[in-house]
Amino acid sequence: MAGVSHEAIFQLKALMDQVDEPLKRSFQNVHQGYKVETLERFLKARDGSVTRAHKMLLDCLKWRLENGIDDILSKPIVPINFYRGVRDSQLIGVSGYTREGLPVFAIGVGLSSFDKASIQYYVQSHIQINEYRDRVLLPAATKKTGRYVGKCVKILDMSGLKLSALNQIKLLTALSTIDDLNYPEKTTTYYIVNVPYVFSACWKVVKPLLHERTRLKVQVLQGSGRDELLKIMDYSSLPHFCRKEGTRASRRVGNTSEDCFSLDHPFHQQLYNYMKKQSGICAPTRPLKHLEMPVADIKKAEFCRTIESELKRIQSQDELTRLYDIHISD
């Protein structure tokens, strides 16, 4: 296995065989029968260090137990109209699969407002989608392709990105930290499309701060990225915001069954019905009020401060430009 030695995997497996039974049960939900591949992911996330990967995995399992993550798919967000608001303001969905069978996750970074519910609901929804991916989508893809599928690709739509996105940095950092610490190495490539000037300016500053492993996964595509993405997936799997070039490429489509962000899209219908079935009830249940928010590490905090500083600099430049860009009509 590239990047991780068999000896390191063997050592980590031996350490995990010694953990308490509750942790073992939670670990089963994490590896879904593919223990070696899961150990490899955590080792890669810690540069092959068995000691650090062991600590990371133990911390992950403890977080799962303390926050009821193993049962989170039995706690749908209700009522349905409230959940629709969450979906309309936290834009994420699955548009299809690559030709290799990897799920294609579409994320509307620029147009996500996160203003229809408290942070707790957005965190809960984010984790539920992660768990559904790992427990349902990826095992189904593995069965369909006849080989192990343990990762996905993500297409990030930056259209509509404004300087006001600065207000969401803390929430986005929390979600990113959850993924980094508990769902490492689950994405092969991040495709960034419909890039506005604001992102382009920030990217020049942010790119050098990224870990090389992460930086190599990021591809900023021209326009909607349609032509490049069609090299790895069929047209039917393209997110709606990648199907056309031009200013209308990223607008929400009228047919909600084609809009992978919509609650009416097949992916979200299947996810929500799955959670309702798991809950065994249709009556309202309480959200995970005590879900522990992760603490970003020093590097991630520095990363966010850099983005914040750059956005403020751009905002100042834009305000100055508007001040001098005054034309007097004849």
Side-chain angles (χ1 to χ4, degrees), residues 83-153:
Y83 184 60
R84 184 177 294 277
V86 173
R87 290 276 54 83
D88 287 344
S89 55
Q90 182 184 32
L91 304 182
I92 183 172
V94 174
S95 61
Y97 293 81
T98 68
R99 295 192 185 97
E100 293 184 347
L102 279 64
V104 177
F105 276 81
I107 304 172
V109 177
L111 296 176
S112 290
S113 58
F114 299 102
D115 60 353
K116 303 298 183 183
S118 66
I119 289 178
Q120 196 69 28
Y121 286 103
Y122 291 116
V123 172
Q124 179 178 342
S125 173
H126 180 82
I127 296 173
Q128 286 174 329
I129 290 175
N130 279 354
E131 291 292 312
Y132 186 76
R133 174 197 64 198
D134 294 351
R135 297 195 223 175
V136 179
L137 290 187
L138 293 177
T142 296
K143 183 178 180 179
K144 182 177 181 179
T145 60
R147 56 178 174 74
Y148 176 65
V149 177
K151 298 186 179 185
C152 65
V153 300

Side-chain angles (χ1 to χ4, degrees), residues 57 77 108 116 190 256 283:
L57 188 45
I77 296 175
K116 303 298 183 183
Y190 298 89
T256 54

Side-chain angles (χ1 to χ4, degrees), residues 35 60 73 200 249 266 291 316 318 327:
K35 186 181 294 186
C60 167
L73 288 178
S200 300
L291 186 64
S316 297
D318 285 350
H327 301 281

Side-chain angles (χ1 to χ4, degrees), residues 186-200:
K186 298 297 294 187
T187 304
T188 60
T189 311
Y190 298 89
Y191 296 102
I192 301 179
V193 302
N194 298 317
V195 174
Y197 166 72
V198 171
F199 174 82
S200 300

Side-chain angles (χ1 to χ4, degrees), residues 296-312:
D297 58 27
I298 296 176
K299 288 185 177 180
K300 180 151 288 189
E302 178 186 354
F303 179 86
C304 291
R305 283 195 296 270
T306 301
I307 294 178
E308 185 173 357
S309 175
E310 185 64 12
L311 283 172
K312 287 180 177 178

Side-chain angles (χ1 to χ4, degrees), residues 229-242:
L229 293 171
L230 284 174
K231 295 177 181 179
I232 64 168
M233 68 186 71
D234 295 334
Y235 182 85
S236 60
S237 289
L238 286 177
H240 60 276
F241 53 79
C242 293

